[in-house]
Amino acid sequence: MNLSIFSWVIYDIGNTLFNAGVTGLFFPLWIITKLNGTDATVGYTLSIALLVSLMISPIVGALSDQTKNRKIFLGLFTVVCGLSTTFIGNNSLINSLIYYGISVTCLHVGDIFYNSMLKDVSNKNNIGIIGGIGAGVGYIGAIIAILIGLLIIEDQGYPIGFTMIGLLIIFFGIPILIFLKEKPQEIQNRYLTSSESLIKRFINQISHTLEDIKDFPGLNRFLIARFWYSWALYTASTFTSLYILETIGMSEREIQYLILTGIITAIPSALIWGKLVDKYGAKSIITIVLILWLINLGLSIGSGVFNFNNDIWWFISGLTGILISGVWSCDRPFMHQLISDEFIGEYFGLHGFSGRLGSIIGTASWGFIATTLNLGQPIALLSLGICILLSLIIIINIDVRKNI
């Protein structure tokens, strides 16, 4: 494994550390258990942050196509994300919510450049396994988050935990800025010669987005499908800890061990899914994964409604780890199958846009369904199953034979 691949892979440790440690575990628990907040406090704060990233994702992606240097953008957003995370919990509630929002926005905008760089460290024969390795190694970040929770936060409180996570995000982001070598694009962006002005080239490209997307069959449907499964998975990742705490009745410590179980199954599973993507194609594998997700959500809902023995959550957590790694091992290779290098930044901006839009509506809808409408968390979880089903139907109808 060369330094470019190594640096790309370990960047995801910091990314997963934030998603699993801050958004998926400590921030919601801190809001609920220490500040007497609600699901809506978490959901609406996250939705606003995702809305900001939603609005700027396609713009920043198109701009990166014109500058031809994505590492500058990735470095900027990674550092700001890390620094903002260190301030969560060390200020007033309102300021902490603002810092959390800044961190979320920067993390997800940075994802545009990180995801597009997969093509810089892989080729069409190994894109699945490289992506799978990235997803698998990334879960080391989740393990670190659990260790921070068990060894530090329990004794010293949430603020020191947020500070440590912020510094680690910057630490794991440094190698990619030093070692990754961006490959020359096989197909040059058609707007690079349209003007000597960067701003004019950028405006020209972004204004033709909807027209140019027609050149890539299947892309529209994939982005719509991604909207639905991002709605479901991001919302589930954010609120699972609260569902287990409030509906199932397990303790904060038990929740951390359940998450650790999912991490242990996710790491090797990501490598296996990556191999399967290279052999059978991203569409076939993600179809299987989404079907299994419907079964997993059914078990989770049944556990809350029919009061299954809590031991079933060890199985659910293990299966969840396998399936989350399955989705993300397919997601980036599927996108790369459908686009060319010419618009890689812009269309990964749209890739981020569709995911963020789903995440915004999903996190807001959970708080709205569970708290505002007072229908409860099991009904909110049921709504995520509907999203997975819609995504599955759309993906089954995508024809990617011409794009592989």
Side-chain angles (χ1 to χ4, degrees), residues 3-18 71 73-79 81-82 106-115 117 133-135 137-139 141 168-177 180 332:
L3 287 175
S4 283
I5 297 175
F6 174 77
S7 64
W8 186 87
V9 165
I10 68 168
Y11 177 89
D12 210 27
I13 296 176
N15 208 332
T16 306
L17 178 57
F18 184 90
K71 288 202 295 185
F73 291 90
L74 181 61
L76 173 64
F77 287 106
T78 300
V79 170
C81 172
C106 290
L107 182 85
H108 289 295
V109 175
D111 272 350
I112 298 170
F113 312 106
Y114 174 68
N115 290 334
M117 287 176 181
I133 291 172
V137 172
Y139 282 104
L168 287 171
I169 288 170
I170 296 173
F171 174 77
F172 287 114
I174 291 174
I176 198 171
L177 306 178
L180 188 139
R332 289 176 294 216

Side-chain angles (χ1 to χ4, degrees), residues 94-115:
I94 296 300
N95 285 340
S96 291
L97 294 177
I98 292 172
Y99 284 125
Y100 172 70
I102 293 171
S103 299
V104 170
T105 299
C106 290
L107 182 85
H108 289 295
V109 175
D111 272 350
I112 298 170
F113 312 106
Y114 174 68
N115 290 334

Side-chain angles (χ1 to χ4, degrees), residues 22 26 30 85-91 148-149 151-168:
V22 179
F26 302 133
W30 177 61
T85 302
T86 65
F87 293 120
I88 300 173
N90 292 293
N91 292 271
I148 290 174
L151 301 177
I152 296 173
I153 289 179
E154 282 196 3
D155 294 330
Q156 302 182 45
Y158 285 100
I160 186 65
F162 293 132
T163 298
M164 290 189 65
I165 290 173
L167 295 175
L168 287 171

Side-chain angles (χ1 to χ4, degrees), residues 10-296:
I10 68 168
Y11 177 89
D12 210 27
I13 296 176
N15 208 332
T16 306
L17 178 57
F18 184 90
N19 283 324
V22 179
T23 296
L25 187 60
F26 302 133
F27 185 74
L29 292 177
W30 177 61
I31 292 292
I32 298 295
T33 64
K34 304 301 181 184
L35 303 178
N36 297 317
T38 67
D39 290 19
T41 308
V42 178
Y44 293 150
T45 300
L46 186 55
S47 295
I48 292 171
L50 292 171
L51 179 61
V52 175
S53 68
L54 171 88
M55 293 187 292
I56 66 177
S57 289
I59 297 172
V60 174
L63 186 60
S64 75
D65 283 336
Q66 297 303 321
T67 61
K68 298 189 292 184
N69 190 333
R70 295 181 179 88
K71 288 202 295 185
I72 294 175
F73 291 90
L74 181 61
L76 173 64
F77 287 106
T78 300
V79 170
V80 175
C81 172
L83 292 177
S84 295
T85 302
T86 65
F87 293 120
I88 300 173
N90 292 293
N91 292 271
S92 66
L93 172 60
I94 296 300
N95 285 340
S96 291
L97 294 177
I98 292 172
Y99 284 125
Y100 172 70
I102 293 171
S103 299
V104 170
T105 299
C106 290
L107 182 85
H108 289 295
V109 175
D111 272 350
I112 298 170
F113 312 106
Y114 174 68
N115 290 334
S116 67
M117 287 176 181
L118 174 58
K119 211 145 193 185
D120 293 316
V121 298
S122 65
N123 56 54
K124 64 180 181 180
N125 297 317
N126 65 9
I127 190 171
I129 186 60
I130 297 297
I133 291 172
V137 172
Y139 282 104
I140 294 174
I143 294 176
I144 295 172
I146 297 297
L147 293 176
I148 290 174
L150 294 174
L151 301 177
I152 296 173
I153 289 179
E154 282 196 3
D155 294 330
Q156 302 182 45
Y158 285 100
I160 186 65
F162 293 132
T163 298
M164 290 189 65
I165 290 173
L167 295 175
L168 287 171
I169 288 170
I170 296 173
F171 174 77
F172 287 114
I174 291 174
I176 198 171
L177 306 178
I178 298 173
F179 298 117
L180 188 139
K181 297 179 181 179
E182 296 185 66
K183 292 179 181 178
Q185 293 181 350
E186 295 179 3
I187 303 175
Q188 290 298 313
N189 185 282
R190 68 187 66 173
Y191 300 110
L192 279 176
T193 58
S194 63
S195 172
E196 293 183 359
S197 168
L198 170 65
I199 300 300
K200 288 183 179 179
R201 294 199 309 267
F202 157 71
I203 294 173
N204 198 13
Q205 176 175 339
I206 201 72
S207 65
H208 287 81
T209 297
L210 295 180
E211 177 183 337
D212 293 333
I213 203 172
K214 298 175 183 177
D215 295 338
F216 304 99
L219 181 57
N220 276 329
R221 288 185 177 182
F222 174 69
L223 293 175
I224 294 171
R226 189 174 195 271
F227 162 82
W228 289 112
Y229 70 67
S230 294
W231 175 327
L233 301 189
Y234 196 86
T235 307
S237 297
T238 302
F239 291 99
T240 292
S241 59
L242 297 184
Y243 182 82
I244 299 173
L245 179 73
E246 298 176 338
T247 297
I248 306 302
M250 300 178 76
S251 69
E252 293 178 52
R253 191 175 184 86
E254 287 175 313
I255 291 170
Q256 294 185 58
Y257 284 129
L258 286 174
I259 293 174
L260 182 60
T261 301
I263 295 165
I264 292 171
T265 61
I267 293 174
S269 299
L271 305 180
I272 296 170
W273 288 123
K275 281 281 191 182
L276 293 174
V277 168
D278 284 335
K279 185 173 183 178
Y280 298 106
K283 176 186 173 180
S284 298
I285 301 305
I286 200 170
T287 298
I288 295 170
V289 171
L290 292 177
I291 291 172
L292 293 174
W293 259 113
L294 290 173
I295 297 172
N296 198 39

